[in-house]
Amino acid sequence: MWDYTDKVKDYFFNPKNAGVLNEANAVGEVGAIACGDALKLMLSVDPESEVILEAKFQTFGCGSAIASSSALTEIIIGKTLDEALKITNQDIADFLGGLPPEKMHCSVMGYEALQSAVANYRGEVWKDDHEEGELVCKCFGVDAGLIERAIKMNKLTTVEQITDYTKAGGGCLTCFDKLEEILSNANAEMVAEGLLAEHEAYRVGAADPKKLKEKAQAAKAQAAQAPQPQPQQTLTQISPLAPMSPLPPPSAGMTNLQKIRMIEEIIEELRPHLKKDGGDCELVDVDGSNVLVKLSGACVGCQLSSVTLSGIQERLMAKLGFPVRVVPVGRNAH
Ligand code: FES
């Protein structure tokens, strides 16, 4: 079972600085809801001193993603942009008293969002732009640049660690060969720069993809059985997710049947990502603008199910172009 520190649980259930920052003059967005994790970081930066006066976030992801995003905002408020840029994903994890290895990707997402927000403030293009980088893991939308940065910043030397820190390789493992190649090349560069001992460097063929798949499946089963800590607040109070972008204009000329099919397709797209964390969601019915869904697996009884439902709702509205309300039914109804 994943062992969370008390501080992670606190930031998980009582997130600081969650929500929209209307007066933001720097915004960084990383990940994608379709890939299971997304984070939007908004900063208010003093133009004279470049001090971060305020920081807020919206995220779609697991509890560790919320805790990491919240921790990040606490760390950077009061710092100049240059000081903030020196913060690593390990600093975020350390602030929380550590994260389970399998959840380190949440701290990496925070790091990437910060880099992206600062680049946005300075009118630069963040180099993690997926259109520029080579997409390596299609299951989780992870590109080569992010993997290389995570390897070098955290001195990663195994494919398993790449999955922990970036999620790449945590699904079908079609990307395994590419992950090996990136890791061995990056480690070779680190050895040449004196940052890694030669015997620690990864060599292609050292990892067994079958074992990695078994481990991923075992982690999924573990997530499904893991009890959730009890929150101090209600779900709606802690949910930091609100629509991340304005809705497109309403779709015209769609029949009810077409709408239902589209809703079905969108939910089907999201299910693999929920399953990865041991949960699941099925469409039960569409009643006017109410989309009735049934959560199952780890989503049942999960104190963050409202975050999941908000994410599904936002995704539906963004694609459909009109407001809908996602309502849980069955055991999870409230
Ligand atoms: S493509 Fe990377 S896990 Fe599927």
Side-chain angles (χ1 to χ4, degrees):
M1 191 181 301
W2 291 319
D3 203 8
Y4 293 108
T5 65
D6 287 343
K7 202 160 179 186
V8 170
K9 288 179 203 165
D10 181 32
Y11 275 68
F12 175 66
F13 291 124
N14 305 290
K16 279 93 181 158
N17 310 312
V20 177
L21 183 58
N22 289 323
E23 54 280 16
N25 54 3
V27 177
E29 286 188 75
V30 291
I33 288 177
C35 297
D37 278 319
L39 170 60
K40 180 175 182 178
L41 179 68
M42 293 150 275
L43 310 178
S44 167
V45 181
D46 182 279
E48 296 289 315
S49 59
E50 290 208 328
V51 168
I52 299 170
L53 304 173
E54 254 192 286
K56 286 201 168 195
F57 73 95
Q58 294 173 285
T59 189
F60 175 71
C62 59
S64 309
I66 293 170
S68 297
S69 308
S70 185
L72 171 67
T73 57
E74 291 276 277
I75 295 170
I76 60 176
I77 290 173
K79 287 195 164 47
T80 65
L81 292 184
D82 284 339
E83 286 167 347
L85 281 176
K86 291 185 188 135
I87 290 160
T88 65
N89 68 278
Q90 190 60 50
D91 292 329
I92 298 170
D94 290 347
F95 180 89
L96 291 167
L99 281 170
E102 294 85 353
K103 295 291 177 184
M104 282 301 287
H105 60 87
C106 300
S107 66
V108 172
M109 190 163 68
Y111 167 83
E112 298 274 317
L114 176 59
Q115 302 290 317
S116 170
V118 175
N120 171 255
Y121 179 82
R122 292 181 169 166
E124 297 161 0
V125 177
W126 168 231
K127 58 189 172 185
D128 185 39
D129 187 337
H130 283 194
E131 288 171 18
E132 299 291 323
E134 182 192 355
L135 192 61
V136 172
C137 179
K138 293 195 174 122
C139 285
F140 295 101
V142 185
D143 68 20
L146 193 159
I147 296 168
E148 279 166 18
R149 280 193 296 282
I151 292 170
K152 291 191 173 171
M153 189 181 296
N154 297 283
K155 293 196 176 175
L156 308 184
T157 55
T158 67
V159 177
E160 193 177 337
Q161 287 174 325
I162 292 180
T163 306
D164 289 342
Y165 279 72
T166 70
K167 285 182 113 173
C172 68
L173 261 182
T174 306
C175 55
F176 178 76
D177 291 348
K178 191 67 192 166
L179 294 179
E180 278 201 304
E181 185 191 322
I182 294 172
L183 181 59
S184 61
N185 288 344
N187 278 184
E189 284 172 23
M190 290 157 75
V191 170
E193 290 162 17
L195 301 172
L196 193 70
E198 194 153 3
H199 70 272
E200 292 175 303
Y202 182 81
R203 283 184 180 74
V204 171
D208 179 351
K210 268 192 199 160
K211 281 195 182 148
L212 290 173
K213 258 197 171 169
E214 281 166 15
K215 194 196 160 199
Q217 279 161 359
K220 248 189 251 176
Q222 190 186 51
Q225 288 167 5
Q228 300 293 322
Q230 293 303 307
Q232 304 303 310
Q233 294 177 278
T234 65
L235 298 179
T236 46
Q237 282 174 310
I238 63 164
S239 172
L241 195 79
M244 291 165 88
S245 44
L247 297 177
S251 333
M254 224 193 253
T255 66
N256 273 344
L257 192 59
Q258 284 170 325
K259 280 179 203 165
I260 292 168
R261 287 221 175 107
M262 197 163 175
I263 289 169
E264 249 170 0
E265 277 169 24
I266 298 164
I267 290 177
E268 283 305 310
E269 275 172 24
L270 292 172
R271 287 181 71 195
H273 305 293
L274 297 172
K275 284 180 179 173
K276 167 131 202 325
D277 283 326
D280 202 357
C281 174
E282 288 167 73
L283 178 65
V284 175
D285 201 0
V286 178
D287 177 13
S289 62
N290 289 330
V291 177
L292 311 181
V293 298
K294 180 169 180 266
L295 297 179
S296 55
C299 292
V300 177
C302 173
Q303 307 301 337
L304 287 176
S305 59
S306 70
V307 177
T308 304
L309 292 169
S310 299
I312 294 169
Q313 184 169 292
E314 184 197 4
R315 177 88 174 157
L316 286 170
M317 291 195 292
K319 283 222 170 185
L320 292 166
F322 52 81
V324 291
R325 184 161 168 257
V326 173
V327 182
V329 296
R331 278 194 294 160
N332 214 54
H334 59 265

